């Protein structure tokens, strides 16, 4: 023990020398040691040094005899009176420190001992009571594992509820889906059809009434007129414009008005419309030229081309008498 | 202009009753020339196809000449405003007959005014 203490302080070496001499009293030797010790801020280092000095002191005590014991038991008796048994070495060290300090020795000693006691109490509490509390917490956590995740989902669901003001009825489905798991909520729920054309799904609610009466229409118009509030902001204004048809729908669809369901062969092979015409003669020749021109025309729809040919048919029928004269 | 006039007429036809907030509706044209142009466009929309077909019969080397003379008379009987050639692409806002850019239907002065005030989407001053 002496050698281990020697690494920390230089004074123990001197004390060892004095020990060999045996000229000074052990109390004075101890005081010299404590006096030489540095005054440190941290309490732990103080304790360590005190312990080291105490070990030295114990060695001194063993060598010298009962002379130093007289001063020490006074401190120990005081401590034992308080109830909790402190480490006797620490007590001795505290008393020695108090003796070295210039102020009221007994007061400092009592303060130091009180601090020691508090330290002991906190360490005991941490050792004994700490494990039990952690165990309780863990056991509780295993039971209610889903609650924080659920709470988070609910909160996020609430946030999404507040933002959904466009009138898209996705709220009830989405909240129920999100509550289970975050993985499954990606594909569950109604599609928004922003980037893909909305496929015409068969509506669930079949209209039992065949044709709504005029009164129903008027009532509906009245209700709409009453409930239609002027737009509160630019977004609502744009929504209204889109409904009326002033503003285009985004993403822009280049084929909004055009719904040409006809195939290419209906555009090109138009000979079937020429059945009403005579098969010989200049009119036929003329009409074949007309058809050739129409087949090359990409701007007209099939309907328009058919109308074109029918007009010519009508015209030539009206002029039949004239043609027969020729 | 014909398309714009048509759209306007259609909108007026299917009056959407639930629209309490009145918007600015242009009730007057800029000037009489613009009005006449509008009339010509409307008439041309109706009769341009017929005119085209009759002309196809007329400008022909295959059909007999008698038929073509009859067609001449017919086309002359049609109102003069029905021919699409009479339509002039005027500026929509100022009715200026010249210096009109087709894409925006605006005269160069109006176009420049809007572009400088950054009211033309995607139009920037050229610099290279």
């Amino acid at each position: 023990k002496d050698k281990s203490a020697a690494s920390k302080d230089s004074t123990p070496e001197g004390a060892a020398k004095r020990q060999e001499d045996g000229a000074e009293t052990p109390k004075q030797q101890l005081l010299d040691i404590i006096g030489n010790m540095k005054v440190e801020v941290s309490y732990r280092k103080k304790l360590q040094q005190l312990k080291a000095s105490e070990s030295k002191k114990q060695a001194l005590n063993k060598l010298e005899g009962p002379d130093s014991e007289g001063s020490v038991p006074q401190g120990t008796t005081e401590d034992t009176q308080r109830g909790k048994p402190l480490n006797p070495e620490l007590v001795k060290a505290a008393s020695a420190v108090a003796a070295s300090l210039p102020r009221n020795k007994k007061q400092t000693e009592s303060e130091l001992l009180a601090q020691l006691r508090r330290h002991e109490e906190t360490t005991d509490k941490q050792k004994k009571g700490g494990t039990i509390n952690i165990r309780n917490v863990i056991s509780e956590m295993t039971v209610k594992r889903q609650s924080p995740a659920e709470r988070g989902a609910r909160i996020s669901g609430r946030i999404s509820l507040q933002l959904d003001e466009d009138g898209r009825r996705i709220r009830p489905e989405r909240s129920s889906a999100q509550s289970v798991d975050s993985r499954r909520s990606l594909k569950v729920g109604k599609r928004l059809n922003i980037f893909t054309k909305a496929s015409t799904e068969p509506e669930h609610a079949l209209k039992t009434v065949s044709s709504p009466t005029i009164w129903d229409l008027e009532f509906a118009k009245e209700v709409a007129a009453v409930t239609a509030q002027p737009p509160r902001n630019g977004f609502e204004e744009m929504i209204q414009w889109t409904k009326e048809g002033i503003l285009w729908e985004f993403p822009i669809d280049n084929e909004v008005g055009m719904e040409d369901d006809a195939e290419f062969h209906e555009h090109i092979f138009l000979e079937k419309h020429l059945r009403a015409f005579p098969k010989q003669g200049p009119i036929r020749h003329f009409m074949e030229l007309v058809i050739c021109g129409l087949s090359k025309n990409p701007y007209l729809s099939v309907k328009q081309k058919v109308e074109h040919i029918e007009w010519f048919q009508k015209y030539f029928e009206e002029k039949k008498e004239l043609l027969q004269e020729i | 202009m014909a398309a714009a006039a048509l759209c306007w007429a259609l909108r007026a036809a299917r009056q959407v009753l639930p629209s309490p907030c009145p918007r600015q509706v242009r009730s007057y044209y800029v000037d009489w020339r613009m009005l006449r142009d509008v009339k010509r466009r409307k008439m041309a929309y109706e009769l341009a196809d017929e005119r085209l077909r009759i002309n196809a019969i007329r400008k022909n080397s295959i059909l007999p000449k008698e038929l073509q003379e009859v067609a001449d008379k017919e086309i002359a009987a049609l109102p003069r405003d029905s021919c699409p050639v009479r339509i002039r692409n005027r500026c929509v806002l100022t009715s200026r007959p010249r210096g009109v850019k087709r894409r925006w239907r605006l005269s160069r002065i109006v176009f420049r005014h809007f572009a400088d005030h950054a009211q033309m989407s995607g139009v920037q001053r050229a610099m290279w």
Side-chain angles (χ1 to χ4, degrees):
Chain A
K1 267 193 182 177
D2 300 343
K3 287 177 185 174
S4 63
S7 63
K8 288 177 189 174
D9 290 330
S10 56
T11 50
E13 289 173 14
K17 285 177 189 173
R18 282 177 220 151
Q19 191 183 350
E20 287 172 0
D21 291 335
E24 299 171 82
T25 56
K27 195 179 179 180
Q28 269 227 315
Q29 285 170 12
L30 185 70
L31 285 169
D32 288 331
I33 290 159
I34 289 160
N36 288 330
M37 274 199 318
K38 296 174 191 174
V39 180
E40 284 172 346
V41 181
S42 63
Y43 184 60
R44 273 187 189 176
K45 282 190 182 177
K46 213 190 213 178
L47 276 175
Q48 278 173 4
Q49 283 189 343
L50 283 169
K51 277 188 182 177
S53 63
E54 267 302 297
S55 65
K56 277 255 42 107
K57 194 187 160 192
Q58 273 199 341
L60 285 168
N61 286 338
K62 281 169 192 174
L63 285 167
E64 295 300 315
D67 287 343
S68 59
E69 285 174 1
S71 63
V72 172
Q74 288 175 11
T76 50
T77 48
E78 283 179 21
D79 291 320
T80 47
Q81 281 170 11
R82 280 171 203 182
K84 256 231 164 170
L86 287 168
N87 198 357
E89 290 184 8
L90 285 171
V91 168
K92 288 172 199 172
S95 59
V97 166
S100 68
L101 287 168
R103 287 183 194 170
N104 195 358
K105 291 178 188 179
K106 281 204 173 178
Q107 253 195 4
T108 49
E109 202 186 295
S110 64
E111 279 170 15
L112 282 168
L113 288 165
Q115 270 205 335
L116 273 171
R117 283 185 73 222
R118 272 177 247 151
H119 186 71
E120 288 274 344
E121 278 171 13
T122 50
T123 47
D124 285 336
K125 271 183 189 175
Q126 278 175 6
K127 280 173 195 173
K128 295 168 192 177
T131 48
I132 295 161
N133 291 334
I134 289 160
R135 276 174 204 167
N136 285 337
V137 169
I138 287 163
S139 65
E140 276 182 20
M141 272 171 69
T142 49
V143 169
K144 297 174 190 177
R145 200 200 302 165
Q146 287 179 4
S147 59
E150 272 186 347
R151 267 178 229 156
R154 276 172 216 161
I155 287 158
S156 62
R158 268 173 233 156
I159 288 161
S160 68
L161 279 173
Q162 286 168 8
L163 287 171
D164 254 341
E165 281 183 344
D166 280 346
R168 289 176 184 161
R169 292 165 199 170
I170 308 159
R171 299 176 206 171
E173 298 175 44
R174 270 211 165 168
S175 65
S176 61
Q178 274 184 355
S179 61
V180 181
D181 239 343
S182 61
R183 291 175 219 162
R184 277 161 61 178
S185 67
L186 276 171
K187 292 183 185 177
V188 172
K190 212 175 174 183
R191 292 200 76 151
L192 290 171
N193 288 318
I194 294 167
F195 297 108
T196 56
K197 261 191 178 176
S199 57
T200 54
E201 291 169 4
E203 289 185 6
H204 307 289
L206 293 168
K207 290 180 185 175
T208 53
V209 180
S210 59
S211 64
T213 60
I214 297 163
W215 306 115
D216 289 339
L217 286 167
E218 284 298 317
F219 181 67
K221 278 182 191 174
E222 231 183 278
V223 166
V226 167
T227 54
Q229 298 294 322
R232 296 177 287 174
N233 50 31
F235 290 115
E236 293 198 2
E237 201 183 26
M238 282 205 277
I239 291 164
Q240 206 176 358
W241 285 346
T242 313
K243 281 179 194 169
E244 287 178 27
I246 299 163
L247 203 62
W248 285 345
E249 283 183 19
F250 295 93
I252 288 174
D253 186 17
N254 277 323
E255 298 164 4
V256 172
M258 303 165 26
E259 281 184 27
D260 210 6
D261 306 324
E263 300 283 317
F264 72 99
H265 54 85
E266 289 178 45
H267 280 268
I268 294 164
F269 305 113
L270 301 157
E271 273 185 352
K272 56 190 170 185
H273 304 291
L274 285 186
R275 281 175 202 167
F277 287 92
K279 291 183 186 180
Q280 297 287 332
I283 294 172
R284 183 77 183 192
H285 187 41
F286 174 74
M287 288 313 297
E288 275 176 6
L289 286 171
V290 165
I291 276 165
C292 181
L294 282 175
S295 66
K296 290 178 189 178
N297 191 336
Y299 301 106
L300 297 176
S301 66
V302 178
K303 229 183 180 181
Q304 285 171 321
K305 290 179 186 176
V306 170
E307 273 177 25
H308 200 86
I309 296 165
E310 280 176 8
W311 185 91
F312 274 112
Q313 198 180 342
K314 225 194 284 179
Y315 183 80
F316 286 125
E317 276 189 25
E318 284 171 14
K319 313 290 173 193
K320 241 185 186 179
E321 303 125 17
L322 194 84
L323 292 166
Q324 279 164 2
E325 286 172 29
I326 306 160
Chain B
M1 198 57 183
L6 262 175
C7 285
W8 183 79
L10 273 168
R11 231 173 283 145
R14 45 171 171 115
Q15 249 316 307
V16 183
L17 284 170
S19 60
C21 48
R23 249 175 288 106
Q24 266 192 330
V25 179
R26 201 180 295 140
S27 48
Y28 298 102
Y29 287 107
V30 177
D31 54 3
W32 288 95
R33 285 172 288 177
M34 193 191 240
L35 212 173
R36 276 182 267 148
D37 198 53
V38 167
K39 282 186 201 170
R40 279 181 208 125
R41 281 171 192 268
K42 281 180 189 171
M43 209 171 282
Y45 184 79
E46 294 165 30
L47 298 164
D49 298 329
E50 213 178 301
R51 269 195 111 93
L52 173 79
R53 286 153 193 169
I54 293 166
N55 255 335
I57 291 165
R58 280 174 65 223
K59 315 284 180 176
N60 220 331
S61 55
I62 304 160
L63 293 171
K65 283 186 185 176
E66 291 83 3
L67 197 64
Q68 285 173 4
E69 282 163 22
V70 170
D72 282 341
K73 286 175 197 170
E74 274 189 18
I75 206 165
L78 283 171
R80 223 174 243 186
D81 273 353
S82 64
C83 60
V85 190
R86 285 185 130 229
I87 293 166
R88 182 80 197 183
N89 290 325
R90 286 179 168 271
C91 170
V92 169
L93 295 175
T94 55
S95 179
R96 199 163 190 275
R98 295 199 176 94
V100 180
K101 283 311 256 180
R102 229 193 186 172
R103 186 174 167 181
W104 297 278
R105 302 177 185 175
L106 293 173
S107 83
R108 57 178 177 82
I109 303 152
V110 178
F111 172 82
R112 197 160 169 275
H113 178 268
F114 283 135
D116 284 343
H117 286 73
Q119 286 162 10
M120 298 289 271
S121 171
V123 174
Q124 198 186 25
R125 276 191 159 266
M127 183 166 32
W128 75 97

